[in-house]
Amino acid sequence: SASGVLSGALDRAAGENVGTYAISQGSLASNANYTLSVTGSTLSITPAALTVTANAVSRVYGDVDPALSYSVSGLKRGDSASGVLSGALDRAAGENVGSYAISQGNLASNANYTLSVTGSTLSITPAALTVTANAVSRVYGDADPSLSYSVSGLKRGDSATAVLSGALDRAAGENVGTYAISQGSLASNANYTLSVTGSTLRITPAALTVTANAVSRVYGDADPALSYSVSGLKRGDSATAVLSGTLDRAAGENVGTYAISQGSLASNANYTLSVTGSTLRITPAALTVTANAISRVYGDADPSLSYSVAGLKRGDSATAVLSGALDRAAGENVGTYAISQGSLVSNANYTLSVTGSTLSITPAALTVTANAISRVYGDADPALSYSVSGLKRGDSATAVLSGTLDRAAGENVGTYAISQGSLASNTNYTLSVTG
């Protein structure tokens, strides 16, 4: 048997890597009964199966790719992955949010292994993008300002205009107040997860100016309505809808100027009201004094100069309103004398108009009584004398009377009537002669 004949063993060429190694006689020998001839052969070392399984990885949009890692199975003889493998995995191109296949790339094993790579994915997840709305304000009635914002978190040189679409919105309302600014239709592209921090639009009151109109009225009349002009109304607002209350004026009813002020006039909350005052002027009322016509007899005292009054207001009495007195033209002789205003004046609440009249001085009654006289036939007539009654103001008969009495013609013994003759008084008297 071979075991009885042969001893020793074949040998092969040294080496452990994949390849073909010659098998030779080595120490194989036969006993002496045989001459041994050995025909060699080969030992073939084939590659071992090496499996690389790519690890799934992820990163945020805009960040750097993490290292593409893997796990290895099938290493032999204490080989290390770093000693066996060269090159690296690769991933499909792209930087937007999505899943990208991880493949073998240029990863290769040495010749001792047959490499099998199981791929995986790189997931790019959205980056956090923060929009912070800016607080804005505007005056009531004006157009809204643009709703602006600041942006943080942009990656890879992205611009807000390229990433964001739509616009912020604000709560509805046009009155003065604070309105929330919210996300509205603002959205980012798929590379970002958008977070919006809202803010406020503040509508502040508009300036509203009321200018009081100057008004006037006559003393004693009712006040006219206190009116005004308005400037600064917005959004088609009417003064009647915006304003409440009324202007006021300083107290007083006498002639003068009275300040018109804001009073209770107020605007609604959409306006800040500024009032420019004015004045109510009370002008004098027309007061008419009509002098009464009067008369008196020559030599008598003047009667009181009286009058009637028209135009008194507010229950005023003539005695309270008027001071001073009418006057009349100087003169004491019979005639007509104008009655005029004199020192008569009204207080400041009236404008006085005086219609004059006349004082008529009429003749006084003057009585002349002829004295009875006698003489002897053939003598000259005595002076025809008389007594006088009714003289006034210290007048003397000689100053008042002119002319002489006369007597009926005749020279024979008898009685002859004495008559007025040419005797006359001046115009201050009405002469009555008793013969």
PDB file of all heavy atoms in Angstrom, residues 364-377:
ATOM      1  N   ALA A 364     -97.723 184.352  26.846  1.00  0.00           N
ATOM      2  CA  ALA A 364     -98.435 184.458  28.121  1.00  0.00           C
ATOM      3  C   ALA A 364     -99.587 185.463  27.962  1.00  0.00           C
ATOM      4  O   ALA A 364     -99.537 186.369  27.115  1.00  0.00           O
ATOM      5  CB  ALA A 364     -97.478 184.922  29.217  1.00  0.00           C
ATOM      6  N   ALA A 365    -100.592 185.280  28.749  1.00  0.00           N
ATOM      7  CA  ALA A 365    -101.733 186.237  28.718  1.00  0.00           C
ATOM      8  C   ALA A 365    -101.333 187.505  29.478  1.00  0.00           C
ATOM      9  O   ALA A 365    -100.932 187.440  30.638  1.00  0.00           O
ATOM     10  CB  ALA A 365    -102.959 185.590  29.335  1.00  0.00           C
ATOM     11  N   LEU A 366    -101.432 188.664  28.782  1.00  0.00           N
ATOM     12  CA  LEU A 366    -101.111 189.966  29.393  1.00  0.00           C
ATOM     13  C   LEU A 366    -102.389 190.823  29.356  1.00  0.00           C
ATOM     14  O   LEU A 366    -102.987 190.980  28.270  1.00  0.00           O
ATOM     15  CB  LEU A 366     -99.992 190.664  28.624  1.00  0.00           C
ATOM     16  CG  LEU A 366     -99.481 191.960  29.224  1.00  0.00           C
ATOM     17  CD1 LEU A 366     -98.786 191.716  30.567  1.00  0.00           C
ATOM     18  CD2 LEU A 366     -98.501 192.635  28.260  1.00  0.00           C
ATOM     19  N   THR A 367    -102.797 191.306  30.507  1.00  0.00           N
ATOM     20  CA  THR A 367    -104.041 192.096  30.600  1.00  0.00           C
ATOM     21  C   THR A 367    -103.709 193.553  30.907  1.00  0.00           C
ATOM     22  O   THR A 367    -102.989 193.837  31.873  1.00  0.00           O
ATOM     23  CB  THR A 367    -104.962 191.544  31.690  1.00  0.00           C
ATOM     24  OG1 THR A 367    -105.267 190.164  31.374  1.00  0.00           O
ATOM     25  CG2 THR A 367    -106.249 192.340  31.783  1.00  0.00           C
ATOM     26  N   VAL A 368    -104.215 194.412  30.055  1.00  0.00           N
ATOM     27  CA  VAL A 368    -104.105 195.872  30.279  1.00  0.00           C
ATOM     28  C   VAL A 368    -105.514 196.380  30.597  1.00  0.00           C
ATOM     29  O   VAL A 368    -106.463 196.120  29.825  1.00  0.00           O
ATOM     30  CB  VAL A 368    -103.531 196.576  29.053  1.00  0.00           C
ATOM     31  CG1 VAL A 368    -103.739 198.098  29.189  1.00  0.00           C
ATOM     32  CG2 VAL A 368    -102.044 196.249  28.915  1.00  0.00           C
ATOM     33  N   THR A 369    -105.619 197.035  31.703  1.00  0.00           N
ATOM     34  CA  THR A 369    -106.922 197.624  32.096  1.00  0.00           C
ATOM     35  C   THR A 369    -106.780 199.142  32.094  1.00  0.00           C
ATOM     36  O   THR A 369    -105.989 199.712  32.875  1.00  0.00           O
ATOM     37  CB  THR A 369    -107.337 197.152  33.482  1.00  0.00           C
ATOM     38  OG1 THR A 369    -107.399 195.693  33.475  1.00  0.00           O
ATOM     39  CG2 THR A 369    -108.704 197.702  33.883  1.00  0.00           C
ATOM     40  N   ALA A 370    -107.521 199.773  31.161  1.00  0.00           N
ATOM     41  CA  ALA A 370    -107.435 201.252  31.031  1.00  0.00           C
ATOM     42  C   ALA A 370    -108.048 201.916  32.275  1.00  0.00           C
ATOM     43  O   ALA A 370    -109.067 201.440  32.805  1.00  0.00           O
ATOM     44  CB  ALA A 370    -108.161 201.705  29.768  1.00  0.00           C
ATOM     45  N   ASN A 371    -107.373 202.927  32.732  1.00  0.00           N
ATOM     46  CA  ASN A 371    -107.888 203.667  33.883  1.00  0.00           C
ATOM     47  C   ASN A 371    -108.953 204.701  33.414  1.00  0.00           C
ATOM     48  O   ASN A 371    -108.754 205.374  32.385  1.00  0.00           O
ATOM     49  CB  ASN A 371    -106.755 204.420  34.595  1.00  0.00           C
ATOM     50  CG  ASN A 371    -105.744 203.421  35.173  1.00  0.00           C
ATOM     51  OD1 ASN A 371    -106.139 202.406  35.702  1.00  0.00           O
ATOM     52  ND2 ASN A 371    -104.444 203.754  35.050  1.00  0.00           N
ATOM     53  N   ALA A 372    -110.054 204.778  34.173  1.00  0.00           N
ATOM     54  CA  ALA A 372    -111.076 205.804  33.864  1.00  0.00           C
ATOM     55  C   ALA A 372    -110.527 207.176  34.275  1.00  0.00           C
ATOM     56  O   ALA A 372    -109.943 207.320  35.343  1.00  0.00           O
ATOM     57  CB  ALA A 372    -112.359 205.501  34.609  1.00  0.00           C
ATOM     58  N   ILE A 373    -110.715 208.144  33.417  1.00  0.00           N
ATOM     59  CA  ILE A 373    -110.191 209.493  33.705  1.00  0.00           C
ATOM     60  C   ILE A 373    -111.265 210.518  33.322  1.00  0.00           C
ATOM     61  O   ILE A 373    -112.228 210.178  32.611  1.00  0.00           O
ATOM     62  CB  ILE A 373    -108.872 209.754  32.952  1.00  0.00           C
ATOM     63  CG1 ILE A 373    -109.065 209.486  31.471  1.00  0.00           C
ATOM     64  CG2 ILE A 373    -107.739 208.893  33.512  1.00  0.00           C
ATOM     65  CD1 ILE A 373    -107.853 209.863  30.615  1.00  0.00           C
ATOM     66  N   SER A 374    -111.090 211.738  33.759  1.00  0.00           N
ATOM     67  CA  SER A 374    -112.040 212.804  33.403  1.00  0.00           C
ATOM     68  C   SER A 374    -111.273 214.104  33.294  1.00  0.00           C
ATOM     69  O   SER A 374    -110.155 214.261  33.805  1.00  0.00           O
ATOM     70  CB  SER A 374    -113.147 212.919  34.458  1.00  0.00           C
ATOM     71  OG  SER A 374    -112.611 213.345  35.709  1.00  0.00           O
ATOM     72  N   ARG A 375    -111.955 215.082  32.641  1.00  0.00           N
ATOM     73  CA  ARG A 375    -111.383 216.422  32.557  1.00  0.00           C
ATOM     74  C   ARG A 375    -112.533 217.413  32.343  1.00  0.00           C
ATOM     75  O   ARG A 375    -113.633 217.037  31.954  1.00  0.00           O
ATOM     76  CB  ARG A 375    -110.349 216.509  31.437  1.00  0.00           C
ATOM     77  CG  ARG A 375    -110.945 216.410  30.038  1.00  0.00           C
ATOM     78  CD  ARG A 375    -109.942 216.907  29.016  1.00  0.00           C
ATOM     79  NE  ARG A 375    -110.349 216.653  27.633  1.00  0.00           N
ATOM     80  CZ  ARG A 375    -111.055 217.485  26.906  1.00  0.00           C
ATOM     81  NH1 ARG A 375    -111.510 218.639  27.432  1.00  0.00           N
ATOM     82  NH2 ARG A 375    -111.353 217.206  25.656  1.00  0.00           N
ATOM     83  N   VAL A 376    -112.196 218.655  32.493  1.00  0.00           N
ATOM     84  CA  VAL A 376    -113.192 219.744  32.313  1.00  0.00           C
ATOM     85  C   VAL A 376    -113.253 220.066  30.841  1.00  0.00           C
ATOM     86  O   VAL A 376    -112.222 220.053  30.144  1.00  0.00           O
ATOM     87  CB  VAL A 376    -112.798 220.988  33.140  1.00  0.00           C
ATOM     88  CG1 VAL A 376    -113.747 222.142  32.857  1.00  0.00           C
ATOM     89  CG2 VAL A 376    -112.802 220.613  34.632  1.00  0.00           C
ATOM     90  N   TYR A 377    -114.438 220.405  30.446  1.00  0.00           N
ATOM     91  CA  TYR A 377    -114.624 220.788  29.046  1.00  0.00           C
ATOM     92  C   TYR A 377    -113.646 221.874  28.713  1.00  0.00           C
ATOM     93  O   TYR A 377    -113.481 222.828  29.457  1.00  0.00           O
ATOM     94  CB  TYR A 377    -116.064 221.253  28.823  1.00  0.00           C
ATOM     95  CG  TYR A 377    -116.275 221.812  27.439  1.00  0.00           C
ATOM     96  CD1 TYR A 377    -116.416 220.970  26.326  1.00  0.00           C
ATOM     97  CD2 TYR A 377    -116.285 223.204  27.251  1.00  0.00           C
ATOM     98  CE1 TYR A 377    -116.590 221.529  25.071  1.00  0.00           C
ATOM     99  CE2 TYR A 377    -116.463 223.734  25.984  1.00  0.00           C
ATOM    100  CZ  TYR A 377    -116.600 222.857  24.879  1.00  0.00           C
ATOM    101  OH  TYR A 377    -116.754 223.398  23.630  1.00  0.00           O
TER     102      TYR A 377
END
